[in-house]
C-alpha cells in the first residue's frame, strides 16, 4: 500500500468527539447526511453485556440497517471479510465500530475490502504494508465512526492489523484513509470494559508515549504531546483503579491516548513494541500485557542512550532522575494490579528462545535507540523484566 500520511494533531482533533452519550454524538455526526444507513459493528462482549445496541436502535430506528458482532480477537481475515460483506449487503453510508482495537482495526480493513471489492485473502495480502500492490482511492464513500472502549489507540492511526489466513501471522495495513472520520470518546460506555482490559490497554498507550519520547530525532512538539498524554494516563488510570465509577478519570485517560498517539507512524517505536509483537504472536499474550512486562525492562536497557528523554519522563512520574523511571513504571503497573515481570506470564522456554532469535531480525526491535545485536542483548532485557 502507499505510505500513510499521518494527519497532524489539529486534523485528528477535528475528528474527535467527546460526549458521554453516544446517541447524541452520533446524531450530531449524521445530521447533515441524506438518508443515512448505519451499520453497527460491536464487540461480542459489549453486544452481550451492555445496552448500547438497543439504545442506538431506539434512538435511530430504521436508520440502523444492521448490527453485527463478527470481529474477534486478533482480527482474523475471515471476520474482516464477513464485516465487509455486511457493509456491502446493507448499502451502509456509515460504519460505527464499537469496541477495542480489534473491532476498530477490523472496521478499517473491512472498509478497504468493501471499497475496493477485494475478492479473497490472497488479494488482500498484496495490499498489506509489505505487499506488492500500491493502493490509491478516488473516494472513500462510507464514513467510519470509531467508538473505542479500550485505551489501545487504534482509532487515532492510519494503520491497522489483521491476522492473515495465509501465513497465520499479524499483517499490517497502512493508508491515510484508514483513520476513522470521527472518533467518539464515551466515558460512560467504557464502564462496561473489564478493568484489567481497560488498564492494560492503557499501558499500551503509555508505551506509545514513552517510546516516542525516546525515539531518535523526535520532534520536540511531538515529544511534548506524548509527555502530556503520559501525564493524563498516569494520573487517570490510577484514579480509575481507586474509583472505577469516576467518569472524569476515564475521560482523562481517553484524552491521554489522543496525545500519546502523536508519534505513531511518524517514528519507529522501540524494543518494547517489537518484543511485544513477538510475545503476542509467539506467546499468545495480549498487547497491553506485553507492554506491562517489557516497557520497564526496555527503559532500563536504554538508559545510557536515552537519559535526556527519560529525565523528562521522570518529571511526569515525579521521581528524582532518569535512573528511577524504570522502577517507577514497574511500580505503577504493579499498583494497577497488572503483571510487571515476564516471569509472571506462563511462557514456555521454547517460546522465549524463539522470541530471542526472532528479535534479531525484527524491524521494530532493530529500531530501538540502543542497539540489540545479539541474543545476549535480548536476554539482558528479559533479565531486567525478571
Amino acid at each position: 500500500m502507499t505510505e500513510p500520511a499521518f494527519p497532524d494533531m489539529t486534523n485528528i482533533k477535528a475528528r474527535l468527539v467527546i460526549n458521554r452519550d453516544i446517541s447524541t454524538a452520533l446524531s450530531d455526526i449524521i445530521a447533515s447526511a441524506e438518508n443515512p444507513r448505519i451499520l453497527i459493528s460491536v464487540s461480542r462482549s459489549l453486544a452481550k453485556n451492555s445496552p448500547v445496541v438497543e439504545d442506538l436502535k431506539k434512538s435511530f430506528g430504521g436508520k440502523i440497517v444492521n448490527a453485527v458482532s463478527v470481529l474477534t480477537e486478533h482480527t482474523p481475515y475471515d471476520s474482516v471479510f464477513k464485516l465487509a460483506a455486511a457493509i456491502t449487503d446493507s448499502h451502509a453510508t456509515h460504519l460505527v465500530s464499537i469496541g477495542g482495537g480489534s473491532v476498530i482495526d477490523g472496521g478499517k480493513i473491512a472498509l478497504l475490502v468493501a471499497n475496493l471489492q477485494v475478492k479473497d485473502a490472497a488479494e488482500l495480502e498484496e495490499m498489506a504494508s509489505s505487499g506488492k500492490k500500491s493502493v490509491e482511492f478516488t473516494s472513500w464513500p462510507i464514513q467510519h465512526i470509531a467508538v473505542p472502549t479500550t485505551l489501545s489507540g487504534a482509532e487515532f492511526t492510519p494503520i491497522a492489523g489483521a491476522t492473515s489466513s495465509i501465513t497465520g501471522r499479524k499483517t499490517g495495513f497502512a493508508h491515510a484513509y484508514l483513520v476513522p472520520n470521527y472518533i467518539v470518546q464515551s466515558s460512560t460506555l467504557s464502564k462496561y470494559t473489564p478493568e484489567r482490559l481497560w488498564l492494560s490497554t492503557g499501558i499500551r498507550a503509555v508505551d506509545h508515549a514513552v517510546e516516542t519520547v525516546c525515539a531518535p530525532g523526535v520532534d520536540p512538539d511531538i515529544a511534548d504531546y506524548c509527555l502530556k498524554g503520559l501525564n493524563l494516563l498516569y494520573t487517570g488510570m490510577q484514579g480509575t483503579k481507586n474509583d472505577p465509577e469516576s467518569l472524569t478519570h476515564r475521560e482523562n485517560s481517553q484524552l491521554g491516548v489522543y496525545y500519546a498517539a502523536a508519534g505513531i507512524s511518524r517514528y519507529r517505536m522501540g524494543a518494547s513494541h517489537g518484543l511485544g509483537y513477538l510475545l503476542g504472536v509467539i506467546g499468545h499474550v495480549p498487547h497491553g500485557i506485553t507492554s506491562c512486562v517489557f516497557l520497564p525492562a526496555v527503559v532500563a536497557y536504554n538508559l545510557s542512550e536515552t537519559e535526556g528523554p527519560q529525565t523528562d519522563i521522570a518529571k511526569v512520574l515525579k521521581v528524582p532522575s532518569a535512573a528511577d523511571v524504570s522502577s517507577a513504571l514497574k511500580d505503577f503497573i504493579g499498583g494497577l494490579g497488572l503483571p510487571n515481570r515476564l516471569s509472571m506470564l506462563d511462557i514456555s522456554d521454547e517460546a522465549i528462545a524463539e522470541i530471542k532469535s526472532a528479535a534479531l531480525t525484527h524491524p521494530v526491535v532493530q529500531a530501538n535507540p540502543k542497539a540489540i545485536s545479539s541474543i545476549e542483548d535480548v536476554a539482558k532485557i528479559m533479565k531486567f523484566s525478571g
Side-chain angles (χ1 to χ4, degrees):
M1 298 186 73
T2 55
E3 287 296 312
F6 193 90
D8 61 29
M9 295 298 287
T10 301
N11 184 305
I12 286 289
K13 189 174 182 180
R15 302 167 190 249
L16 187 60
V17 179
I18 300 174
N19 197 315
R20 292 176 178 177
D21 181 63
I22 297 174
S23 294
T24 301
L26 186 54
S27 180
D28 291 341
I29 289 169
I30 68 168
S32 60
E34 184 177 350
N35 299 321
R37 296 175 59 83
I38 303 167
L39 173 65
I40 298 171
S41 171
V42 61
S43 70
R44 292 178 179 179
S45 61
L46 279 171
K48 180 181 178 180
N49 300 315
S50 83
V52 61
V53 173
E54 289 306 311
D55 288 349
L56 289 173
K57 286 181 176 178
K58 288 177 184 176
S59 296
F60 296 97
K63 293 184 178 69
I64 306 290
V65 293
N66 201 358
V68 298
S69 298
V70 297
L71 294 170
T72 56
E73 191 176 10
H74 302 303
T75 326
Y77 277 10
D78 289 349
S79 68
V80 171
F81 277 97
K82 287 178 183 177
L83 179 56
I87 292 168
T88 301
D89 294 344
S90 67
H91 302 286
T93 60
H94 296 75
L95 172 66
V96 181
S97 296
I98 308 174
S102 294
V103 171
I104 292 171
D105 271 5
K108 294 177 182 180
I109 304 170
L111 285 169
L112 174 74
V113 170
N115 282 334
L116 294 178
Q117 300 180 346
V118 179
K119 298 179 182 63
D120 55 31
E123 186 179 352
L124 180 60
E125 198 89 347
E126 290 184 352
M127 296 177 181
S129 301
S130 58
K132 300 176 182 178
K133 191 171 183 179
S134 179
V135 177
E136 295 294 342
F137 297 99
T138 55
S139 66
W140 188 263
I142 302 169
Q143 299 270 289
H144 190 191
I145 303 165
V147 186
T149 58
T150 70
L151 298 170
S152 65
E155 62 276 9
F156 290 114
T157 73
I159 56 180
T163 302
S164 171
S165 56
I166 298 173
T167 66
R169 294 295 178 97
K170 201 71 175 280
T171 303
F173 298 83
H175 197 284
Y177 274 104
L178 294 185
V179 183
N181 301 90
Y182 297 95
I183 301 152
V184 178
Q185 292 187 334
S186 167
S187 54
T188 304
L189 186 60
S190 77
K191 292 171 70 173
Y192 291 97
T193 303
E195 180 184 83
R196 183 181 174 89
L197 179 60
W198 179 256
L199 295 175
S200 65
T201 55
I203 298 301
R204 188 64 170 176
V206 167
D207 202 345
H208 296 330
V210 169
E211 292 218 304
T212 299
V213 171
C214 293
V218 65
D219 182 276
D221 289 340
I222 297 296
D224 286 345
Y225 274 120
C226 289
L227 289 167
K228 184 170 184 176
L230 176 62
N231 182 57
L232 286 164
L233 287 158
Y234 184 63
T235 56
M237 290 163 64
Q238 289 181 101
T240 297
K241 180 66 177 177
N242 294 328
D243 183 7
E245 296 301 309
S246 169
L247 295 181
T248 299
H249 292 311
R250 292 175 177 273
E251 287 162 355
N252 285 340
S253 297
Q254 288 176 316
L255 193 58
V257 177
Y258 158 72
Y259 286 108
I264 298 177
S265 91
R266 294 178 187 272
Y267 301 98
R268 276 284 181 88
M269 298 292 109
S272 180
H273 276 72
L275 291 172
Y277 295 142
L278 294 172
L279 182 59
V281 170
I282 297 168
H284 307 291
V285 176
H287 282 315
I289 300 298
T290 67
S291 291
C292 290
V293 300
F294 275 134
L295 179 60
V298 170
V299 164
Y301 177 82
N302 285 339
L303 180 59
S304 62
E305 296 294 325
T306 60
E307 184 173 358
Q310 288 200 48
T311 299
D312 294 333
I313 293 169
K315 294 173 184 175
V316 174
L317 302 182
K318 295 181 172 57
V319 293
S321 70
D324 302 296
V325 168
S326 175
S327 58
L329 287 170
K330 182 171 279 194
D331 290 345
F332 168 50
I333 293 164
L336 296 175
L338 299 170
N340 57 9
R341 299 191 306 277
L342 185 60
S343 59
M344 298 175 75
L345 306 181
D346 186 20
I347 308 299
S348 69
D349 291 341
E350 292 78 12
I352 293 294
E354 187 177 351
I355 290 168
K356 288 179 180 178
S357 177
L360 300 183
T361 56
H362 195 284
V364 183
V365 176
Q366 293 305 304
N368 193 62
K370 183 176 179 179
I372 297 174
S373 55
S374 66
I375 286 177
E376 289 72 26
D377 290 335
V378 185
K380 286 179 185 177
I381 294 173
M382 291 185 171
K383 185 177 180 180
F384 281 132
S385 180

